[in-house]
Amino acid sequence: MTWNKPPPAVAVAAADAHDTDHGRLRELGYKQELKRHLSVLSNFSISFTVISVLTGVTTLYNTGLAFGGPATMTLGWFVAGAFTMAVGLSMAEICSAFPTSGGLYYWSARLAGDRWAPFAAWITGWFNIVGQWAGTASIDFSLAQLIQVIVLLSTGGNNSGGYLASKYVVFAFHAVILLSHATINSLSITWLSFFGQLAAIWNMLGVFALMIVVPVVATERASAKFVFTHLNTDNSAGIHNKLYIFVLGLLMSQYTLSGYDASAHMTEETKNADRNGPIGIISAIGISLIVGWGYILGITFAVKDIPYLLSPDNDAGGYAIAEVFYLAFKSRYGNGVGGIICLWIVAIAIYFCGMSSMTSNSRMTYAFSRDGAMPLSSIWHKVNKQEVPINAVWLSAFISLCMALPSLGSLVAFQAMASVATTAVNIAYALPILFRVMLAHKSFVPGPFNLRRYSILVGWIAVLWVATITVLFSLPVSYPVTKDTLNYTPVAVGGLFTLILLSWIVTARHWFKGPITNLGG
């Protein structure tokens, strides 16, 4: 079985000599359908906003506190960050060679060789797209939950008769947020570029404001020894092995440091994409590492009583960071209004994160359907007069809404779905890198950005890291293991893999040929 290769470069070079970006895209097999309005700053802004340290750290701070506490968060951040940078560097190198909206699945097809190209593209693409849809669902549902906590604190708190929204109201919040994100993503790329840069500025300034204000306002502060060396082994999960606890606590960092493939998915709308796409990936990871650590430090210096912050009986109902903000201002000024304002700063950052996440996965949906990989592909890859893949935007919103439906039955079920966002996307990151180091180590022709002699070494480090965290994040997170405490990550990811593989065996292998040219003629 062979795949539809793009036309030779020499066949299109003359026709597009006036436009390097358009000519490069034609070399890869596609005509230009999207506007190239994004600068390197705009490309970076989208990935930086999808990573959004305010989103990831805030959402999973409870996990970090419970499993390892301060030491896991402050030191584990750089453990996860260093390996994430290895993954990002390898992806950036491949992105420089193949700057298309398809990103990961297109890379896999080009690097796996003719025989395996269709299957490699199929499995990588479906892991990537489902992981991205799950990511958008997870981000927007997390925002809905945070709004629930803000409303609770604004009406008196958990211990003073505050209003705790029901699961149906939270789901309604989630639906409205998704609707607004789909509406924004229906605008032209010029507007998305503006919102993306605004989002990056908000995330950056928000981190600096909170990391300074919260510990300064707090009347009691933790010592440096506590922040950097205290390993919390006191949890209700029945887990006491220090290494095991440290590993589980890394989930907060790894969940946060993902989503930077957005820069790759936006390359067909980015100027000088073979250079600026890789820069977007690397700079988003690097700057997120710095500002994220500052945010973790700022918040953790205001932490004193870990069991109380995690208790469902506190004013924030057990939402640790919300309780930290609320207590800091209440202890200083007698009320927690300032803490609620801080939570709104985080909420707006999460809102921008969800917006950019939908931008990224709608482009992935557009590219994947352009190559005929999705049911009703001809519908999803249509571009409107503003050169926006409008149908892909609304499909992404609808699927992300459906993915939150399990929350109405059980939050455990929803969390199982949300776990796909981290694990599946990282698997999709690793697959083209694996093909690069195993099958294309001699044939790969690098673009302007490349790792030179370190390419294979960095690639193997990236692949082994993803393999490691896939196993680690599938381990039980509570003992004894019951249906209510089971870690459903391997079930969810294994189920996804089974569906992808079965769909390939039963049907897709007969008709899916991998990336196909849309040049015509």
PDB file of all heavy atoms in Angstrom, residues 219-247:
ATOM      1  N   THR A 219      -0.667  36.769  55.754  1.00  0.00           N
ATOM      2  CA  THR A 219      -0.101  37.140  57.067  1.00  0.00           C
ATOM      3  C   THR A 219       0.859  36.072  57.580  1.00  0.00           C
ATOM      4  O   THR A 219       1.700  36.343  58.431  1.00  0.00           O
ATOM      5  CB  THR A 219      -1.223  37.353  58.095  1.00  0.00           C
ATOM      6  OG1 THR A 219      -2.048  36.180  58.139  1.00  0.00           O
ATOM      7  CG2 THR A 219      -2.073  38.559  57.724  1.00  0.00           C
ATOM      8  N   GLU A 220       0.721  34.856  57.099  1.00  0.00           N
ATOM      9  CA  GLU A 220       1.646  33.775  57.456  1.00  0.00           C
ATOM     10  C   GLU A 220       2.240  33.212  56.182  1.00  0.00           C
ATOM     11  O   GLU A 220       1.529  32.980  55.207  1.00  0.00           O
ATOM     12  CB  GLU A 220       0.929  32.661  58.212  1.00  0.00           C
ATOM     13  CG  GLU A 220       0.457  33.049  59.602  1.00  0.00           C
ATOM     14  CD  GLU A 220      -0.126  31.846  60.322  1.00  0.00           C
ATOM     15  OE1 GLU A 220      -1.327  31.586  60.148  1.00  0.00           O
ATOM     16  OE2 GLU A 220       0.633  31.166  61.034  1.00  0.00           O
ATOM     17  N   ARG A 221       3.559  33.005  56.211  1.00  0.00           N
ATOM     18  CA  ARG A 221       4.219  32.482  55.016  1.00  0.00           C
ATOM     19  C   ARG A 221       5.032  31.249  55.370  1.00  0.00           C
ATOM     20  O   ARG A 221       5.568  31.128  56.467  1.00  0.00           O
ATOM     21  CB  ARG A 221       5.137  33.535  54.389  1.00  0.00           C
ATOM     22  CG  ARG A 221       4.403  34.791  53.945  1.00  0.00           C
ATOM     23  CD  ARG A 221       5.358  35.807  53.320  1.00  0.00           C
ATOM     24  NE  ARG A 221       4.707  37.095  53.154  1.00  0.00           N
ATOM     25  CZ  ARG A 221       4.669  38.027  54.087  1.00  0.00           C
ATOM     26  NH1 ARG A 221       5.260  37.809  55.262  1.00  0.00           N
ATOM     27  NH2 ARG A 221       4.046  39.168  53.872  1.00  0.00           N
ATOM     28  N   ALA A 222       5.133  30.374  54.393  1.00  0.00           N
ATOM     29  CA  ALA A 222       5.939  29.169  54.585  1.00  0.00           C
ATOM     30  C   ALA A 222       7.418  29.520  54.475  1.00  0.00           C
ATOM     31  O   ALA A 222       7.798  30.509  53.848  1.00  0.00           O
ATOM     32  CB  ALA A 222       5.562  28.132  53.539  1.00  0.00           C
ATOM     33  N   SER A 223       8.253  28.696  55.080  1.00  0.00           N
ATOM     34  CA  SER A 223       9.700  28.906  54.991  1.00  0.00           C
ATOM     35  C   SER A 223      10.214  28.367  53.655  1.00  0.00           C
ATOM     36  O   SER A 223       9.566  27.538  52.997  1.00  0.00           O
ATOM     37  CB  SER A 223      10.400  28.168  56.128  1.00  0.00           C
ATOM     38  OG  SER A 223      10.239  26.763  55.990  1.00  0.00           O
ATOM     39  N   ALA A 224      11.398  28.828  53.264  1.00  0.00           N
ATOM     40  CA  ALA A 224      12.010  28.338  52.028  1.00  0.00           C
ATOM     41  C   ALA A 224      12.270  26.835  52.130  1.00  0.00           C
ATOM     42  O   ALA A 224      12.137  26.101  51.146  1.00  0.00           O
ATOM     43  CB  ALA A 224      13.310  29.088  51.763  1.00  0.00           C
ATOM     44  N   LYS A 225      12.633  26.379  53.330  1.00  0.00           N
ATOM     45  CA  LYS A 225      12.879  24.953  53.531  1.00  0.00           C
ATOM     46  C   LYS A 225      11.613  24.146  53.227  1.00  0.00           C
ATOM     47  O   LYS A 225      11.658  23.106  52.573  1.00  0.00           O
ATOM     48  CB  LYS A 225      13.343  24.691  54.956  1.00  0.00           C
ATOM     49  CG  LYS A 225      13.639  23.230  55.243  1.00  0.00           C
ATOM     50  CD  LYS A 225      14.117  23.027  56.680  1.00  0.00           C
ATOM     51  CE  LYS A 225      14.399  21.541  56.936  1.00  0.00           C
ATOM     52  NZ  LYS A 225      14.845  21.302  58.334  1.00  0.00           N
ATOM     53  N   PHE A 226      10.463  24.643  53.696  1.00  0.00           N
ATOM     54  CA  PHE A 226       9.190  23.965  53.464  1.00  0.00           C
ATOM     55  C   PHE A 226       8.867  23.939  51.967  1.00  0.00           C
ATOM     56  O   PHE A 226       8.490  22.902  51.422  1.00  0.00           O
ATOM     57  CB  PHE A 226       8.082  24.694  54.228  1.00  0.00           C
ATOM     58  CG  PHE A 226       6.698  24.152  53.972  1.00  0.00           C
ATOM     59  CD1 PHE A 226       6.214  23.063  54.676  1.00  0.00           C
ATOM     60  CD2 PHE A 226       5.867  24.744  53.023  1.00  0.00           C
ATOM     61  CE1 PHE A 226       4.941  22.561  54.443  1.00  0.00           C
ATOM     62  CE2 PHE A 226       4.581  24.258  52.788  1.00  0.00           C
ATOM     63  CZ  PHE A 226       4.133  23.159  53.498  1.00  0.00           C
ATOM     64  N   VAL A 227       9.041  25.062  51.312  1.00  0.00           N
ATOM     65  CA  VAL A 227       8.674  25.183  49.900  1.00  0.00           C
ATOM     66  C   VAL A 227       9.524  24.290  49.010  1.00  0.00           C
ATOM     67  O   VAL A 227       9.020  23.694  48.051  1.00  0.00           O
ATOM     68  CB  VAL A 227       8.772  26.657  49.444  1.00  0.00           C
ATOM     69  CG1 VAL A 227       8.633  26.772  47.928  1.00  0.00           C
ATOM     70  CG2 VAL A 227       7.713  27.494  50.134  1.00  0.00           C
ATOM     71  N   PHE A 228      10.812  24.176  49.309  1.00  0.00           N
ATOM     72  CA  PHE A 228      11.701  23.439  48.414  1.00  0.00           C
ATOM     73  C   PHE A 228      11.992  21.996  48.836  1.00  0.00           C
ATOM     74  O   PHE A 228      12.432  21.196  48.007  1.00  0.00           O
ATOM     75  CB  PHE A 228      13.030  24.186  48.275  1.00  0.00           C
ATOM     76  CG  PHE A 228      12.913  25.486  47.536  1.00  0.00           C
ATOM     77  CD1 PHE A 228      12.983  26.697  48.206  1.00  0.00           C
ATOM     78  CD2 PHE A 228      12.720  25.509  46.162  1.00  0.00           C
ATOM     79  CE1 PHE A 228      12.880  27.902  47.529  1.00  0.00           C
ATOM     80  CE2 PHE A 228      12.603  26.713  45.474  1.00  0.00           C
ATOM     81  CZ  PHE A 228      12.678  27.908  46.165  1.00  0.00           C
ATOM     82  N   THR A 229      11.748  21.661  50.098  1.00  0.00           N
ATOM     83  CA  THR A 229      12.156  20.322  50.549  1.00  0.00           C
ATOM     84  C   THR A 229      11.039  19.493  51.175  1.00  0.00           C
ATOM     85  O   THR A 229      11.192  18.279  51.329  1.00  0.00           O
ATOM     86  CB  THR A 229      13.307  20.420  51.577  1.00  0.00           C
ATOM     87  OG1 THR A 229      12.824  21.053  52.778  1.00  0.00           O
ATOM     88  CG2 THR A 229      14.480  21.216  51.013  1.00  0.00           C
ATOM     89  N   HIS A 230       9.914  20.105  51.540  1.00  0.00           N
ATOM     90  CA  HIS A 230       8.871  19.326  52.226  1.00  0.00           C
ATOM     91  C   HIS A 230       8.162  18.402  51.247  1.00  0.00           C
ATOM     92  O   HIS A 230       7.553  18.839  50.280  1.00  0.00           O
ATOM     93  CB  HIS A 230       7.852  20.254  52.885  1.00  0.00           C
ATOM     94  CG  HIS A 230       6.745  19.498  53.577  1.00  0.00           C
ATOM     95  ND1 HIS A 230       6.950  18.740  54.696  1.00  0.00           N
ATOM     96  CD2 HIS A 230       5.428  19.351  53.267  1.00  0.00           C
ATOM     97  CE1 HIS A 230       5.814  18.167  55.075  1.00  0.00           C
ATOM     98  NE2 HIS A 230       4.875  18.525  54.218  1.00  0.00           N
ATOM     99  N   LEU A 231       8.256  17.105  51.514  1.00  0.00           N
ATOM    100  CA  LEU A 231       7.573  16.104  50.704  1.00  0.00           C
ATOM    101  C   LEU A 231       6.366  15.598  51.479  1.00  0.00           C
ATOM    102  O   LEU A 231       6.512  14.915  52.492  1.00  0.00           O
ATOM    103  CB  LEU A 231       8.511  14.946  50.364  1.00  0.00           C
ATOM    104  CG  LEU A 231       7.945  13.883  49.417  1.00  0.00           C
ATOM    105  CD1 LEU A 231       7.815  14.451  48.004  1.00  0.00           C
ATOM    106  CD2 LEU A 231       8.834  12.643  49.391  1.00  0.00           C
ATOM    107  N   ASN A 232       5.197  15.955  51.030  1.00  0.00           N
ATOM    108  CA  ASN A 232       3.974  15.578  51.736  1.00  0.00           C
ATOM    109  C   ASN A 232       3.618  14.120  51.442  1.00  0.00           C
ATOM    110  O   ASN A 232       3.321  13.763  50.306  1.00  0.00           O
ATOM    111  CB  ASN A 232       2.819  16.487  51.302  1.00  0.00           C
ATOM    112  CG  ASN A 232       1.516  16.093  51.976  1.00  0.00           C
ATOM    113  OD1 ASN A 232       1.504  15.770  53.158  1.00  0.00           O
ATOM    114  ND2 ASN A 232       0.434  16.106  51.227  1.00  0.00           N
ATOM    115  N   THR A 233       3.662  13.293  52.474  1.00  0.00           N
ATOM    116  CA  THR A 233       3.291  11.878  52.322  1.00  0.00           C
ATOM    117  C   THR A 233       1.970  11.572  53.012  1.00  0.00           C
ATOM    118  O   THR A 233       1.548  10.419  53.063  1.00  0.00           O
ATOM    119  CB  THR A 233       4.388  10.967  52.903  1.00  0.00           C
ATOM    120  OG1 THR A 233       4.590  11.301  54.288  1.00  0.00           O
ATOM    121  CG2 THR A 233       5.700  11.142  52.146  1.00  0.00           C
ATOM    122  N   ASP A 234       1.362  12.627  53.537  1.00  0.00           N
ATOM    123  CA  ASP A 234       0.093  12.453  54.254  1.00  0.00           C
ATOM    124  C   ASP A 234      -1.057  12.653  53.273  1.00  0.00           C
ATOM    125  O   ASP A 234      -1.433  13.778  52.945  1.00  0.00           O
ATOM    126  CB  ASP A 234       0.002  13.459  55.409  1.00  0.00           C
ATOM    127  CG  ASP A 234      -1.293  13.314  56.205  1.00  0.00           C
ATOM    128  OD1 ASP A 234      -1.929  12.254  56.095  1.00  0.00           O
ATOM    129  OD2 ASP A 234      -1.650  14.266  56.936  1.00  0.00           O
ATOM    130  N   ASN A 235      -1.609  11.558  52.780  1.00  0.00           N
ATOM    131  CA  ASN A 235      -2.733  11.655  51.857  1.00  0.00           C
ATOM    132  C   ASN A 235      -3.761  10.596  52.217  1.00  0.00           C
ATOM    133  O   ASN A 235      -3.493   9.668  52.983  1.00  0.00           O
ATOM    134  CB  ASN A 235      -2.268  11.499  50.404  1.00  0.00           C
ATOM    135  CG  ASN A 235      -1.515  10.195  50.182  1.00  0.00           C
ATOM    136  OD1 ASN A 235      -2.104   9.120  50.245  1.00  0.00           O
ATOM    137  ND2 ASN A 235      -0.198  10.278  49.935  1.00  0.00           N
ATOM    138  N   SER A 236      -4.932  10.754  51.677  1.00  0.00           N
ATOM    139  CA  SER A 236      -6.023   9.822  51.968  1.00  0.00           C
ATOM    140  C   SER A 236      -6.085   8.682  50.955  1.00  0.00           C
ATOM    141  O   SER A 236      -7.048   7.934  50.918  1.00  0.00           O
ATOM    142  CB  SER A 236      -7.355  10.581  51.960  1.00  0.00           C
ATOM    143  OG  SER A 236      -7.570  11.179  50.690  1.00  0.00           O
ATOM    144  N   ALA A 237      -5.034   8.565  50.141  1.00  0.00           N
ATOM    145  CA  ALA A 237      -5.031   7.581  49.061  1.00  0.00           C
ATOM    146  C   ALA A 237      -4.403   6.253  49.468  1.00  0.00           C
ATOM    147  O   ALA A 237      -4.374   5.315  48.665  1.00  0.00           O
ATOM    148  CB  ALA A 237      -4.298   8.135  47.846  1.00  0.00           C
ATOM    149  N   GLY A 238      -3.868   6.188  50.689  1.00  0.00           N
ATOM    150  CA  GLY A 238      -3.242   4.943  51.129  1.00  0.00           C
ATOM    151  C   GLY A 238      -1.900   4.695  50.482  1.00  0.00           C
ATOM    152  O   GLY A 238      -1.419   3.549  50.443  1.00  0.00           O
ATOM    153  N   ILE A 239      -1.250   5.735  49.952  1.00  0.00           N
ATOM    154  CA  ILE A 239       0.056   5.614  49.288  1.00  0.00           C
ATOM    155  C   ILE A 239       1.098   6.329  50.129  1.00  0.00           C
ATOM    156  O   ILE A 239       0.938   7.513  50.460  1.00  0.00           O
ATOM    157  CB  ILE A 239       0.015   6.223  47.874  1.00  0.00           C
ATOM    158  CG1 ILE A 239      -1.022   5.495  47.014  1.00  0.00           C
ATOM    159  CG2 ILE A 239       1.393   6.151  47.220  1.00  0.00           C
ATOM    160  CD1 ILE A 239      -1.240   6.121  45.655  1.00  0.00           C
ATOM    161  N   HIS A 240       2.180   5.628  50.481  1.00  0.00           N
ATOM    162  CA  HIS A 240       3.180   6.212  51.377  1.00  0.00           C
ATOM    163  C   HIS A 240       4.599   6.101  50.843  1.00  0.00           C
ATOM    164  O   HIS A 240       5.508   6.690  51.418  1.00  0.00           O
ATOM    165  CB  HIS A 240       3.081   5.553  52.755  1.00  0.00           C
ATOM    166  CG  HIS A 240       1.709   5.644  53.364  1.00  0.00           C
ATOM    167  ND1 HIS A 240       1.154   6.836  53.780  1.00  0.00           N
ATOM    168  CD2 HIS A 240       0.763   4.685  53.573  1.00  0.00           C
ATOM    169  CE1 HIS A 240      -0.082   6.621  54.238  1.00  0.00           C
ATOM    170  NE2 HIS A 240      -0.334   5.328  54.127  1.00  0.00           N
ATOM    171  N   ASN A 241       4.803   5.362  49.769  1.00  0.00           N
ATOM    172  CA  ASN A 241       6.129   5.281  49.174  1.00  0.00           C
ATOM    173  C   ASN A 241       6.496   6.632  48.564  1.00  0.00           C
ATOM    174  O   ASN A 241       5.759   7.166  47.728  1.00  0.00           O
ATOM    175  CB  ASN A 241       6.142   4.192  48.091  1.00  0.00           C
ATOM    176  CG  ASN A 241       7.509   4.057  47.429  1.00  0.00           C
ATOM    177  OD1 ASN A 241       7.835   4.816  46.522  1.00  0.00           O
ATOM    178  ND2 ASN A 241       8.291   3.096  47.894  1.00  0.00           N
ATOM    179  N   LYS A 242       7.619   7.187  48.971  1.00  0.00           N
ATOM    180  CA  LYS A 242       7.975   8.555  48.581  1.00  0.00           C
ATOM    181  C   LYS A 242       8.177   8.706  47.070  1.00  0.00           C
ATOM    182  O   LYS A 242       7.750   9.700  46.473  1.00  0.00           O
ATOM    183  CB  LYS A 242       9.227   8.999  49.337  1.00  0.00           C
ATOM    184  CG  LYS A 242       8.995   9.184  50.838  1.00  0.00           C
ATOM    185  CD  LYS A 242      10.247   9.678  51.532  1.00  0.00           C
ATOM    186  CE  LYS A 242       9.986   9.876  53.031  1.00  0.00           C
ATOM    187  NZ  LYS A 242      11.204  10.347  53.748  1.00  0.00           N
ATOM    188  N   LEU A 243       8.846   7.718  46.462  1.00  0.00           N
ATOM    189  CA  LEU A 243       9.073   7.809  45.017  1.00  0.00           C
ATOM    190  C   LEU A 243       7.755   7.731  44.250  1.00  0.00           C
ATOM    191  O   LEU A 243       7.522   8.499  43.304  1.00  0.00           O
ATOM    192  CB  LEU A 243      10.001   6.682  44.558  1.00  0.00           C
ATOM    193  CG  LEU A 243      10.312   6.639  43.050  1.00  0.00           C
ATOM    194  CD1 LEU A 243      10.971   7.947  42.598  1.00  0.00           C
ATOM    195  CD2 LEU A 243      11.195   5.437  42.719  1.00  0.00           C
ATOM    196  N   TYR A 244       6.880   6.847  44.692  1.00  0.00           N
ATOM    197  CA  TYR A 244       5.562   6.684  44.070  1.00  0.00           C
ATOM    198  C   TYR A 244       4.773   7.992  44.181  1.00  0.00           C
ATOM    199  O   TYR A 244       4.170   8.468  43.210  1.00  0.00           O
ATOM    200  CB  TYR A 244       4.829   5.540  44.766  1.00  0.00           C
ATOM    201  CG  TYR A 244       3.628   4.969  44.033  1.00  0.00           C
ATOM    202  CD1 TYR A 244       3.030   3.789  44.483  1.00  0.00           C
ATOM    203  CD2 TYR A 244       3.095   5.576  42.893  1.00  0.00           C
ATOM    204  CE1 TYR A 244       1.928   3.235  43.826  1.00  0.00           C
ATOM    205  CE2 TYR A 244       2.001   5.028  42.238  1.00  0.00           C
ATOM    206  CZ  TYR A 244       1.420   3.868  42.713  1.00  0.00           C
ATOM    207  OH  TYR A 244       0.344   3.325  42.054  1.00  0.00           O
ATOM    208  N   ILE A 245       4.812   8.588  45.353  1.00  0.00           N
ATOM    209  CA  ILE A 245       4.101   9.844  45.580  1.00  0.00           C
ATOM    210  C   ILE A 245       4.658  10.949  44.682  1.00  0.00           C
ATOM    211  O   ILE A 245       3.913  11.723  44.074  1.00  0.00           O
ATOM    212  CB  ILE A 245       4.202  10.245  47.067  1.00  0.00           C
ATOM    213  CG1 ILE A 245       3.327   9.320  47.917  1.00  0.00           C
ATOM    214  CG2 ILE A 245       3.798  11.700  47.272  1.00  0.00           C
ATOM    215  CD1 ILE A 245       3.518   9.493  49.406  1.00  0.00           C
ATOM    216  N   PHE A 246       5.988  11.023  44.593  1.00  0.00           N
ATOM    217  CA  PHE A 246       6.626  12.050  43.766  1.00  0.00           C
ATOM    218  C   PHE A 246       6.206  11.912  42.305  1.00  0.00           C
ATOM    219  O   PHE A 246       5.894  12.902  41.634  1.00  0.00           O
ATOM    220  CB  PHE A 246       8.148  11.935  43.893  1.00  0.00           C
ATOM    221  CG  PHE A 246       8.903  12.988  43.135  1.00  0.00           C
ATOM    222  CD1 PHE A 246       9.131  14.240  43.683  1.00  0.00           C
ATOM    223  CD2 PHE A 246       9.387  12.738  41.847  1.00  0.00           C
ATOM    224  CE1 PHE A 246       9.834  15.219  42.988  1.00  0.00           C
ATOM    225  CE2 PHE A 246      10.080  13.705  41.144  1.00  0.00           C
ATOM    226  CZ  PHE A 246      10.306  14.948  41.713  1.00  0.00           C
ATOM    227  N   VAL A 247       6.175  10.665  41.830  1.00  0.00           N
ATOM    228  CA  VAL A 247       5.804  10.399  40.441  1.00  0.00           C
ATOM    229  C   VAL A 247       4.367  10.834  40.167  1.00  0.00           C
ATOM    230  O   VAL A 247       4.073  11.490  39.154  1.00  0.00           O
ATOM    231  CB  VAL A 247       5.984   8.901  40.129  1.00  0.00           C
ATOM    232  CG1 VAL A 247       5.270   8.537  38.821  1.00  0.00           C
ATOM    233  CG2 VAL A 247       7.457   8.564  40.031  1.00  0.00           C
TER     234      VAL A 247
END
